[in-house]
Amino acid sequence: LTNALIPPGGQKPVQLNRGIAKKIVEFCATVSIFGCLTSGPALALSKAEQLGAAKIEGGGASTLQSGRVIAITRGVNLDNTDWRGKDLKGVAFQQSVLRGCNFAGVNLFSASFFDADLSGSDFTNAKMQQVNLEMADLSNVDLSGADLTQAYMAGAVIKDLKKIENTDWSDVDMRKDQRTYLCSIAAGTNPKTGTDTRESLMCPD
């Protein structure tokens, strides 16, 4: 067991508290960051899940937060990965490439997609309260039925965002022009919160 974290690119190793290093190694030996077994025949992973796991191991990192390992995937290419059934609460996908990914129904509470490319991804019925979408590319993203209560949208690219039926935008921080555009296509009621989509956006009658 080593207590040095080896960054990619041959950078100088970062020394960790040995107790923390041991906990991380013990955790990762039993279960991956996203809840899939790392070894043994107990669970067969799909190609998309295997691809995601491999890319996380190759370019990701992790940190202990309140006794829970939180993944940080800054700058990682995770195109076409399938995250259904995973608990991604608080995970940071900052500046990562996540085109054509499947986040349908996933718990993304307080996750960060700062400056991430999410174009063509599926977030239908996702739990996206307090998610950070600042400067994220939401082109052709499907947000149908998602709960984005208190999300942060400043600078997000939404010009080709069209699928927002039944979304909840209550208390979302966004620019006036973003709100105007979303109001032009908003419709429906969120199935979980019962909130009218246009009302959550404070659209004019």
Side-chain angles (χ1 to χ4, degrees), residues 28-175:
C28 293
T30 306
V31 62
S32 77
I33 292 170
F34 299 109
C36 298
L37 296 179
T38 57
S39 61
L43 182 62
L45 301 182
S46 68
K47 283 188 176 181
E49 288 173 325
Q50 292 175 16
L51 178 64
K55 289 179 177 178
I56 290 291
E57 289 179 8
S62 66
T63 182
L64 287 174
Q65 186 179 102
S66 300
R68 181 171 178 267
V69 176
I70 302 296
I72 303 170
T73 64
R74 186 186 300 273
V76 179
N77 187 320
L78 296 165
D79 278 349
N80 303 308
T81 44
D82 189 348
W83 304 92
R84 288 174 298 176
K86 306 298 185 293
D87 183 1
L88 303 181
K89 178 181 178 180
V91 173
F93 290 99
Q94 298 176 12
Q95 299 177 319
S96 293
V97 181
L98 295 140
R99 295 168 296 198
C101 296
N102 195 336
F103 291 95
V106 172
N107 180 12
L108 291 163
F109 180 85
S110 73
S112 177
F113 292 98
F114 172 79
D115 198 23
D117 185 352
L118 304 174
S119 53
S121 289
D122 184 356
F123 289 87
T124 55
N125 301 315
K127 301 174 183 177
M128 302 177 71
Q129 303 96 321
Q130 298 182 29
V131 72
N132 183 359
L133 294 168
E134 182 180 6
M135 297 177 66
D137 187 348
L138 301 179
S139 301
N140 299 308
V141 164
D142 191 346
L143 290 173
S144 302
D147 181 2
L148 292 110
T149 301
Q150 295 184 329
Y152 187 66
M153 289 274 294
V157 178
I158 63 171
K159 65 178 181 179
D160 290 317
L161 175 63
K162 298 179 177 65
K163 297 180 179 180
I164 66 166
E165 301 86 5
N166 307 319
T167 46
D168 188 344
W169 301 85
S170 298
D171 302 316
V172 172
D173 187 358
M174 67 176 74
R175 300 191 312 265

